[in-house]
């Protein structure tokens, strides 16, 4: 299909199979903000919005990558930190030579090998965040700040390393905010509309960057953030992109007409997938989606965060299982230090997720949602365990989000036909089973080892009753 520069045409673009199959991506927030690496540790986005709203969020913004904005808010913890550590007259752009000196030590192949070990299928790198600093030596340099870019081609080097591991590379770009073009300080959600640069100079600048990222690095996702200038024909950009890379994708953050809701800005343009931030959906979505979040409460590295601010490996496993059962991907962020080292707390949790996927990835990768996402398993001693379902053409997977404290459990309301095989993926152990009026009782000869989740494979898929609604 040849796409035309119209909404009607680009909206016909299908979500490519690789993205449906991928399930797990690694987000990387890395830039000048990685030098101060500070934000006041706090609750995650959804919790803060529920308790205090957007003004409270920006006043104590725990996103370290928003440092340039946060330290300009009078009385904010970031302003106090900046004055204490660097002095009130220290300009943000002065972090550039410090960052460029630090990244001389970075080895992109080490990152890519880790991402492969974790079983991620794709990587999304922030090529330019809201501070405007570029992680590649663009042919379209910043008109207001000379040499405001990385000395190394960080985008190109990571792209090569990631692809050498057989992973897909994608790129993030902050098209909606660039504080070098529009220095408006954001203190509430309504400020964002006035913070998007709308001058023609910026329109040409952002458009040129996106086209350069496409042509130079062949990004497989246009992962835009916040919004986009209004006077841009995005359908022309999307059509040209899809015609060059039919297996590419566009996210839902190219917003040009602002409609504010409590959850943020509502998309008004074509997009292949939705991007809830520090949030997930409660049900199976027909539209493909991707939940993005940090391991802690920040995307950029925040040295003020401790273990209490980080999600455990167990929580990340259960989160991934839940998201995949509802037609989503998890884009899990790392925030490296300025020199490219990945903090141990982040690395440990990534590896814990990777180890679980080593044994249970068959229930995650290359699957699709079943007709219901959630179920319940119960043990004879009264333990109730949440279950999530996925399927392939050949099998149904029921993943228990806890360890049964018994050698048998019943999958509520799930009925199997004679000849079905039931198997525990971790260890490839067969389970005995029998179907009754209330569901299928599964048994093992010994208790399951403690694990954040246990994936059960039921095959063939045709053995599962088509009319079952596993609601518990």
């Amino acid at each position: 299909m040849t796409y035309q520069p119209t909404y009607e045409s680009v909206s016909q673009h299908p979500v490519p199979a690789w993205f449906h199959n991928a399930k797990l991506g690694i987000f990387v927030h890395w830039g000048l903000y990685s030098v101060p690496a500070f934000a006041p540790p706090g609750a995650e986005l959804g919790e803060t919005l529920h308790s205090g709203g957007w003004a409270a969020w920006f006043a104590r913004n725990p996103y370290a990558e928003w440092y340039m904005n946060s330290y300009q808010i009078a009385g904010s913890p970031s302003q106090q930190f900046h004055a204490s550590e660097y002095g009130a007259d220290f300009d943000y752009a002065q972090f550039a030579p410090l960052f460029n000196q630090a990244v001389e030590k970075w080895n992109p192949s080490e990152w890519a090998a880790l991402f492969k070990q974790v079983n991620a299928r794709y990587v999304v790198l922030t090529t330019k965040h809201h501070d405007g600093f570029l992680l590649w030596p663009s042919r379209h340099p910043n008109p207001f700040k000379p040499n405001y870019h990385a000395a190394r081609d960080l985008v190109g080097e990571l792209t090569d390393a990631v692809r050498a591991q057989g992973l897909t590379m994608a790129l993030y770009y902050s098209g909606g905010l660039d504080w070098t073009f529009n220095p408006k300080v954001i203190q509430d959600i309504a400020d964002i509309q006035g913070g998007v640069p709308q001058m023609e100079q910026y329109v040409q600048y952002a458009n040129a960057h996106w086209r350069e990222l496409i042509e130079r690095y062949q990004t497989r996702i246009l992962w835009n953030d916040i919004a986009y200038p209004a006077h841009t024909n995005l359908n022309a950009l999307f059509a040209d992109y899809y015609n060059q890379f039919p297996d590419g994708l566009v996210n839902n953050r190219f917003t040009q007409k602002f409609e504010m809701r409590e959850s943020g800005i509502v998309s008004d343009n074509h997009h292949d997938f939705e991007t809830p931030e520090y949030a997930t959906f409660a049900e199976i979505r027909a539209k493909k989606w991707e939940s993005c979040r940090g391991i802690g409460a920040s995307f950029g590295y925040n040295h003020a965060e401790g273990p209490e601010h980080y999600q455990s490996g167990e929580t990340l496993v259960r989160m991934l299982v839940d998201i995949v059962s509802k037609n989503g991907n998890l884009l899990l962020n790392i925030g490296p230090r300025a020199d490219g080292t990945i903090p141990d707390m982040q690395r440990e949790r990534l590896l814990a997720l990777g180890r679980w996927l080593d044994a249970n990835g068959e229930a995650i990768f290359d699957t699709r949602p079943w007709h219901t996402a959630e179920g319940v398993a119960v043990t004879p001693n009264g333990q109730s365990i949440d279950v999530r379902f996925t399927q392939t053409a050949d099998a149904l997977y029921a993943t228990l989000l806890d360890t049964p404290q018994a050698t048998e459990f019943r999958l509520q309301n799930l009925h199997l036909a004679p000849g079905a095989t039931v198997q525990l993926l971790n260890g490839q152990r067969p389970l005995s089973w029998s179907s009754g009026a209330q569901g299928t009782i599964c048994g093992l000869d010994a208790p399951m080892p403690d694990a954040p989740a246990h994936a059960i494979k039921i095959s063939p898929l045709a053995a599962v009753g088509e009319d079952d609604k596993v609601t518990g």
Side-chain angles (χ1 to χ4, degrees):
M1 176 178 180
T2 299
Y3 293 93
Q4 303 302 318
T6 65
Y7 176 83
E8 291 74 20
S9 181
V10 297
S11 64
Q12 300 303 307
H13 180 257
V15 174
W18 78 261
F19 193 67
H20 278 297
N21 293 336
K23 310 305 182 186
L24 177 63
I26 300 294
F27 214 176
V28 183
H29 276 66
W30 192 34
L32 299 193
Y33 45 82
S34 306
V35 177
F38 175 82
E44 293 183 358
L45 177 62
E47 299 172 52
T48 302
L49 295 184
H50 180 74
S51 61
W54 282 104
W57 167 260
F58 286 110
R60 293 187 54 85
N61 192 339
Y63 283 2
E65 68 276 11
W66 276 69
Y67 184 87
M68 183 179 178
N69 185 82
S70 297
Y71 87 81
Q72 297 182 75
I73 297 176
S76 69
S78 295
Q79 186 177 77
Q80 296 170 23
F81 172 85
H82 189 78
S84 173
E85 293 295 316
Y86 301 102
D89 295 331
F90 187 95
D91 183 73
Y92 183 83
Q94 292 177 258
F95 287 126
L98 300 178
F99 179 77
N100 278 325
Q101 181 179 13
V103 300
E104 292 177 3
K105 303 177 181 179
W106 174 60
N107 184 340
S109 296
E110 291 180 356
W111 281 16
L114 174 64
F115 303 157
K116 179 71 171 181
Q117 184 178 359
V118 172
N119 292 291
R121 294 279 186 90
Y122 64 106
V123 177
V124 181
L125 173 67
T126 53
T127 66
K128 183 196 81 165
H129 206 263
H130 313 328
D131 59 4
F133 185 78
L134 306 180
L135 295 195
W136 84 102
S138 174
R139 294 189 295 269
H140 310 279
N142 191 297
F144 304 113
K145 292 185 177 294
N147 301 314
Y148 198 59
H149 60 81
R152 292 175 66 174
D153 183 1
L154 306 181
V155 177
E157 292 185 47
L158 184 60
T159 294
D160 290 344
V162 164
R163 289 180 177 150
Q165 290 288 346
L167 310 182
T168 298
M169 189 66 190
L171 302 176
Y172 162 113
Y173 182 88
S174 175
L177 293 180
D178 187 320
W179 295 319
T180 66
F181 279 79
N182 185 344
K184 180 179 178 65
V185 177
I186 309 299
Q187 300 189 65
D188 205 339
I189 189 67
D191 294 335
I192 289 182
Q193 181 172 5
V196 178
Q198 299 292 351
M199 69 281 287
E200 180 62 23
Q201 185 180 28
Y202 182 71
V203 171
Q204 293 182 9
Y205 182 74
N207 287 347
H209 279 168
W210 264 129
R211 291 184 178 276
E212 184 177 25
L213 294 172
I214 293 167
E215 295 164 7
R216 190 166 174 177
Y217 305 112
Q218 296 89 50
T219 176
R220 284 310 190 267
I221 303 176
L222 307 188
W223 216 108
N224 191 70
D225 202 9
I226 298 291
Y228 211 73
H231 301 294
T232 299
N233 182 359
L234 284 173
N235 293 322
L237 174 65
F238 299 161
D240 289 346
Y241 175 57
Y242 290 149
N243 287 332
Q244 187 172 359
F245 300 108
D247 62 342
L249 297 103
V250 170
N251 80 341
N252 67 329
R253 300 193 182 194
F254 282 91
T255 305
Q256 292 176 291
K257 297 178 182 177
F258 284 79
E259 179 185 347
M260 299 291 184
R261 294 181 186 171
E262 183 179 350
S263 59
I265 304 168
V266 179
S267 178
D268 62 327
N269 281 315
H270 160 71
H271 54 280
D272 292 299
F273 64 100
E274 300 174 284
T275 56
E277 187 165 318
Y278 279 89
T280 62
F281 291 122
E283 69 288 323
I284 297 173
R285 305 276 288 195
K287 184 81 172 180
K288 186 65 182 177
W289 59 284
E290 175 193 71
S291 177
C292 61
R293 60 159 299 129
I295 300 174
S298 175
F299 286 95
Y301 174 56
N302 181 6
H303 73 258
E305 286 189 326
E308 69 275 17
H309 301 107
Y310 274 57
Q311 297 294 321
S312 66
E314 291 81 0
T315 299
L316 293 175
V317 166
R318 292 167 183 152
M319 185 184 303
L320 175 63
V321 173
D322 178 68
I323 288 169
V324 170
S325 75
K326 296 167 182 174
N327 200 32
N329 290 0
L330 173 60
L331 184 61
L332 183 61
N333 182 80
I334 61 164
R337 297 185 180 92
D339 64 2
T341 57
I342 299 172
D344 288 343
M345 286 193 296
Q346 297 180 31
R347 182 182 295 271
E348 290 166 2
R349 284 151 178 80
L350 288 177
L351 291 174
L353 178 57
R355 286 192 296 271
W356 186 87
L357 286 168
D358 285 340
N360 300 278
E362 182 182 338
I364 301 298
F365 300 115
D366 308 317
T367 64
R368 298 294 183 272
W370 196 37
H371 57 60
T372 188
E374 301 186 2
V376 175
V378 294
T379 65
N381 59 13
Q383 181 187 12
S384 179
I385 302 171
D386 288 334
V387 178
R388 297 294 182 268
F389 295 98
T390 54
Q391 67 173 334
T392 62
D394 302 320
L396 175 70
Y397 298 90
T399 302
L400 283 60
L401 300 185
D402 203 349
T403 301
Q405 302 303 307
T407 55
E408 72 174 42
F409 57 89
R410 182 176 68 249
L411 291 168
Q412 295 275 62
N413 299 331
L414 182 67
H415 303 282
L416 307 184
T421 298
V422 181
Q423 181 183 48
L424 179 68
L425 287 187
N426 188 1
Q428 305 299 307
R429 297 163 64 187
L431 281 71
S432 63
W433 66 270
S434 62
S435 272
Q438 294 182 310
T440 296
I441 296 175
C442 300
L444 278 168
D445 54 5
M448 294 183 187
D450 283 337
H454 299 271
I456 308 298
K457 179 180 181 179
I458 303 168
S459 59
L461 184 62
V464 182
E466 287 295 325
D467 295 330
D468 289 327
K469 298 295 181 182
V470 188
T471 60

